[in-house]
Amino acid sequence: MAPLISDLALILICAGVMTLIFKKLKQPLVLGYIVAGFLASPNMAYMPSVSDLEGVHLWSDIGVIFLLFALGLEFSFKKIMKMGSAPIIAACTIILAMMAVGFFTGKAFGWSQMDSIFLGGMLAMSSTTIIFKAFDDMGLRQQRFASMVLSVLIIEDILAIVLMVVLSTLAVSQQFQGAQMVTSILKLVFFLVLWFVVGIYLIPLFLKKMKPLMSNETMLIVALGLCFGMVVLASTVGFSPAFGAFIMGSILAETIEAEHIEQLVAPVKDLFGAIFFVSVGMMVDIALIGQYLVPILCIILAIMLGQTIFSTGGFLLAGQPLKTAMQCSFSLTQIGEFAFILATLGTSLGVTSDFLYPIVVAVSVFTTFTTPYMIRLAVPAYNMLDRRLPKNLKHLLDRYASGEPDVMGQENHWRIYLTQIAKVVLIFGVLCIAVLTLMFQFAYPLFESLLPSPWNDISMAVATLLMLSPFVRAFIMKKNHSEEFQILWDSNRVNRAPLIAVQTLRIVLGVMMVAYVVGHTLHWGSALGIIIVVAVMFVIISSRKLKQQSIRLEKTFTNNLNLREQQADARSTRLKFAGRLIERDVHLSDFAIPIGVPWAGQTLAKLNLGQKFGIHVVSVLRGNHRINIPSGQTAILPGDRLQVIGSDEQLSTFGQALEQQAQEYSSEDIVKTEMKLKRLVIGFGSPFMGKTLKDCGIRQDYRCLVVGLEQGDSDSLVATTPQTTFHVGDVLWVVGEEADLNALEEANHTQNHE
């Protein structure tokens, strides 16, 4: 048997056993995988171990690809834009501060610069999986600080991808060079914009055209094909494979098939993700951990103190109250999945020391166990700090936290206009550069081989200008008649000079792109070249056909980008409230009604949730139908999603009550309420003797149903009617729940004995 197959069997058996144990202990499954990896590794002398470590590492690399692909499917650039500035400010502050903490901690132990830099990157990323699990177990997912933490984690995930690219660049160069780093970041931005724009334009159209042919199987294969295609493309241009997987996942996340693809990919992701975390456990060396026990304890202390101090500062800087800031920061005191991915990156590139990987794993295991306790410690720590803070400082923090500006009616038109122009220049500038690169790198050699001179140059110039012209036109003309432009132009004459300067700069850049094509293909004299450039620019600006084509391209892109959101709006559980809630701790949250809970089937008036829990149901989502502001007569059905408004405490109490309802209606309840068939003999003295079916009360009093009757010596069943009279010796076949049947039989038996 091939070693890889026997290794896979060992890995999955160990992982299966450990996940069952850790599930029973109510611990994160990631820790179970790590323990399984340790048991299956060559470091464990008295256990069977894997024989082909290289094969396992290859599978773990595939696991990283699937993990990042799944993360991209849950990610949305538009969600980031809608979060506002608070999570972005907090996340950037936390990452920069914790990277500095990790770097100086490594330097304090005399580690190399690359070890210290990678350690800083690992300490900067908290664990999304562990925090989600802790919030679920503690019933905190509905609280306001939890939503802020989850928003910050999303920002951290995207910044972690950027960090992977930056660290890869540092690993290759082995030194920090400002110019090279700026070039790498510009390259990253260029390919991000290019892939995202082209992907959003083409992939939804492709999926829409192919939808009649897409079964679950074909959808899975197509999605994975797109994923690994982008992995190869990213590797070709110098990025990590995981980065390519994340980008394709984020592109597919904007399509209407995102949820479907996410469900299909989940089992594959779970399988290879498990192999990745098992491979992490294989890197654990107990002897090495014992040797580096002091650094491990110091790193744990650095995470605890660094996150609680700097993260609190980051959330305060983002405008959060002190209590919320401390609850958020105490929740982030661990490292997780991305730390393992960065450690794997450093090991694969050969730039980090062997001891760093097991140290990070040991730190992650310890901080995972302490996470729930740190979350519980947040409020007592806040109460203690609140009693000792000077009143002036408390007043200053309260004023800062409540000072989020309401920009309604006070919009900065210059800021909006310049933001719009920057987006136009970035997107269409990237597309223009991509067209030029594509044509001169690939098309120009083809023209030279097929056509004689000068027709090859003329054909190349014409083809390039035709492909370039819609993007150049959008680059120089879009948003030059926007509402903000008109307001700025009409409101103050002083605004006109900078507005003209901005527009002139765009035209100059457009002219430079056209001149580049003409100069590198036709090679004509300066005067003739200038005339051609001016003529081409005149055609580009004045052509109605190009204008319509540019508008059509933009409309298609916008529709593709917003299609999933528009579909979600039709069935969204969230109401779009126009204003802010007055009380800061009152917010909206979603709750699913599980199948089988006793609340299902009852009306809101009967449940009286407002009186019991202080919450209000503002929307009910039922399939594709949404009931806004439901009346008291609206019944709650299994599978409904409720949009509920209330404070943190009220929502938490309601969530716990709903969870308790679901737990009470367990599989044992289903067994108890199972319908059974029983034989009942009418004897002397029976309360049913001489009575009709209607009068005996079997259905009303005992909740049972008579489905057949045997009379005399006949072997056949007689159909019963409400007027059927029962006699001694009759045999009734009755259906009901076991408890009701027992009560009915006991009543008949007691009366017979009497």
Side-chain angles (χ1 to χ4, degrees), residues 65 68-69 71-73 75 77 157-158 161 192 227 231 241-251 338:
I65 290 173
L68 269 296
F69 181 57
L71 179 64
L73 286 171
F75 176 80
F77 287 101
D157 288 340
I158 183 61
I161 301 297
L192 269 176
C227 170
V231 165
F243 176 72
F246 177 83
I247 292 300
M248 181 49 66
S250 63
I251 292 172
F338 261 111

Side-chain angles (χ1 to χ4, degrees), residues 361-382:
V361 173
V363 171
S364 175
V365 171
F366 184 86
T367 54
T368 296
F369 281 115
T370 59
T371 294
Y373 303 102
M374 292 297 294
I375 295 174
R376 292 190 183 98
L377 186 63
V379 174
Y382 162 75

Side-chain angles (χ1 to χ4, degrees), residues 292-305:
Y292 288 91
L293 184 60
V294 173
I296 289 173
L297 295 176
C298 291
I299 292 172
I300 291 171
L301 184 63
I303 292 174
M304 299 291 186
L305 293 178

Side-chain angles (χ1 to χ4, degrees), residues 687-702 704-706 709 720-726 732:
F688 311 124
M689 184 182 66
K691 290 185 179 181
T692 64
L693 177 59
K694 180 179 179 181
D695 296 333
C696 68
I698 293 178
R699 184 165 188 165
Q700 295 84 357
D701 298 337
Y702 298 97
C704 295
L705 177 66
V706 178
L709 171 65
T720 58
T721 67
Q723 285 73 39
T724 300
T725 303
F726 300 136
L732 306 183

Side-chain angles (χ1 to χ4, degrees), residues 1-13 50-52 55-56 59 275:
M1 181 181 294
L4 192 60
I5 296 177
S6 59
D7 290 345
L8 179 62
L10 178 61
I11 287 171
L12 294 182
I13 290 172
V50 298
S51 56
D52 185 7
V56 174
W59 282 32
I275 295 175

Side-chain angles (χ1 to χ4, degrees), residues 25 49 84 94 98 285 291 421 459 517 564 571 701 707 713:
L25 298 175
S49 60
I94 293 168
M98 291 306 298
D285 187 343
Q291 181 181 350
I421 295 299
S459 300
V517 175
R564 185 186 180 191
R571 57 182 184 178
D701 298 337
V707 296
D713 297 330

